[in-house]
Amino acid sequence: MSDWLFKSWIKVSVVTVILFFFYHLFISLKLEQEDFKNNSNDQE
Amino acid sequence: MEQNKDIADIQAAEAVFHKKKKFILCYHSFSVMNFKKARVQIRKIAEAAGSPISIAVVPAFGAAPESEAEEFREELEKFVQEGYEIMLHGARHRADLSLKRSLQGKLALLISNNEAEFAGLNERLTQALLKRSLALWKAHGTGKPSGFIPPIWFGNKFLKQQALEIFDYYEDYHGIYKKIGDKIKKTYSKTLSFSIIPNALLGLAQTYACLRMLLPGGTHRLVFHEKDFRTIGEKRILNMVRYTSTMREKIMYKDL
């Protein structure tokens, strides 16, 4: 049982790190964009 | 045509869903020492957000000449008239090292490079420093601030109660507090600030901030300092504000 829990925890941690890495790449590109427009005012 | 209408409906529904999540945008440590640079930065952030933001003001004059202090007062007045929200941010921000502090307070000073002005003070000293902060603020003569934010969010066990007797809002690292009758209402809110983060970790901190804003829950605070414009850069700061504004509705403390 504890072995299964440990392996699951490892898997979840690895998947979280991978997802965070891809989100980091996405955000890095987004924050460097020259023509980022805020459309929140248009939606209101 | 019908398909376009459906897409517009879906986009409108998504916008409503995103707007249910809220955040507070606050510029910290606006003072007589930095107001010339800071006023430009604040207006740029507000423009990116689409409306006025909250400003945490350090009221001490320091050794500034009277002409500078007068210009600072005029700038504050202008911000208030334009709809910006003013919060009080300590008295001097920098801690008085001659005051007696608890062990926890001394540790907070060590971590914060002596910026945690209220950390570890006893009840009497806390009251005195809070009154001094308010007196310094009154010297600027610009109404009453909405709330009190202790420098570096390090307070002590007396500060919350004492601050809420004077101001409508008080905040620490984990939440924002409002006094309703005899009870204190806490709003869960994470502080997303970059000023004390080492340069090597700033990229990850920005990703973490954006992720917190993307995920549901809490009315988080996105906080910028003058220093961030040098370390993070104006483009990234403004894009972070724009990105967050597409996911959450920006509110002020008084809207809580």
Side-chain angles (χ1 to χ4, degrees):
Chain A
M1 178 67 180
S2 63
D3 187 48
W4 176 84
L5 258 179
F6 180 69
K7 280 180 181 167
S8 302
W9 179 77
I10 293 283
K11 281 177 196 166
V12 169
S13 301
V14 168
V15 170
T16 305
V17 168
I18 291 169
L19 286 176
F20 185 82
F21 173 72
F22 281 111
Y23 186 68
H24 178 65
L25 290 181
F26 166 74
I27 285 298
S28 299
L29 288 173
K30 198 95 179 158
L31 297 186
E32 284 298 328
Q33 247 175 274
E34 293 291 343
D35 56 346
F36 196 123
K37 289 275 178 288
N38 181 0
N39 58 356
S40 62
N41 293 336
D42 307 336
Q43 291 167 352
E44 279 164 9
Chain B
M1 192 70 182
E2 194 62 29
Q3 196 181 358
N4 285 346
K5 195 170 171 290
D6 287 346
I7 291 169
D9 285 346
I10 291 166
Q11 281 176 342
E14 279 176 351
V16 169
F17 173 72
H18 288 318
K19 293 298 178 185
K20 277 181 185 165
K21 295 191 285 180
K22 296 177 170 66
F23 79 108
I24 289 172
L25 187 53
C26 193
Y27 187 96
H28 270 222
S29 306
F30 181 70
S31 75
V32 74
M33 308 306 287
N34 68 8
F35 76 97
K36 285 181 182 169
K37 260 188 191 174
R39 63 186 172 192
V40 179
Q41 295 171 347
I42 290 170
R43 289 208 162 82
K44 280 183 180 171
I45 292 173
E47 195 188 332
S51 60
I53 63 169
S54 307
I55 307 171
V57 178
V58 179
F61 292 91
E66 185 50 37
S67 59
E68 295 268 298
E70 190 53 45
E71 204 181 332
F72 174 64
R73 276 185 214 114
E74 282 169 14
E75 200 57 52
L76 271 178
E77 189 68 50
K78 222 187 281 178
F79 275 128
V80 171
Q81 282 169 8
E82 287 170 24
Y84 287 79
E85 181 180 45
I86 305 294
M87 304 288 283
L88 198 52
H89 192 38
R92 285 194 319 154
H93 203 295
R94 202 152 180 84
D96 183 345
L97 299 180
S98 66
L99 298 179
K100 200 178 167 194
R101 292 172 196 271
S102 67
L103 190 64
Q104 209 180 358
K106 285 175 187 165
L107 194 65
L109 289 194
L110 195 71
I111 297 168
S112 68
N113 193 23
N114 298 330
E115 295 287 344
E117 198 178 18
F118 282 83
L121 295 179
N122 65 28
E123 190 171 6
R124 190 180 56 82
L125 288 173
T126 305
Q127 184 83 61
L129 195 53
L130 199 56
K131 279 186 177 167
R132 187 164 164 234
S133 171
L134 195 62
L136 282 165
W137 170 261
K138 281 179 178 166
H140 297 302
T142 317
K144 189 186 161 198
S146 296
F148 187 81
I149 305 172
I152 319 285
W153 296 279
F154 277 121
N156 56 59
K157 57 184 174 183
F158 311 105
L159 184 60
K160 183 165 74 182
Q161 199 67 39
Q162 290 181 4
L164 284 173
E165 278 167 21
I166 304 170
F167 304 100
D168 295 334
Y169 297 94
Y170 171 81
E171 70 174 45
D172 61 20
Y173 201 74
H174 306 288
I176 303 165
Y177 305 87
K178 182 186 184 183
K179 200 169 183 183
I180 302 171
D182 289 340
K183 288 183 181 170
I184 293 173
K185 180 193 161 200
K186 180 182 177 182
T187 303
Y188 173 67
S189 169
K190 270 280 170 202
T191 304
L192 302 166
S193 172
F194 311 95
S195 65
I196 58 166
I197 303 216
N199 284 358
L201 298 176
L202 273 176
L204 287 178
Q206 290 163 57
T207 304
Y208 176 73
C210 291
L211 188 60
R212 284 309 293 241
M213 292 297 189
L214 176 72
L215 297 173
T219 304
H220 305 311
R221 289 155 285 167
L222 188 58
V223 174
F224 293 108
H225 293 77
E226 187 209 334
K227 182 190 165 196
D228 297 332
F229 279 75
R230 293 194 303 274
T231 54
I232 298 176
E234 184 182 309
K235 184 171 71 179
R236 287 181 79 93
I237 288 175
L238 299 184
N239 278 346
M240 209 185 315
V241 171
R242 292 182 188 115
Y243 178 67
T244 307
S245 299
T246 60
M247 296 181 292
R248 288 179 176 242
E249 181 188 359
K250 184 190 74 61
I251 60 165
M252 290 185 178
Y253 289 89
K254 62 187 176 195
D255 303 319
L256 282 170

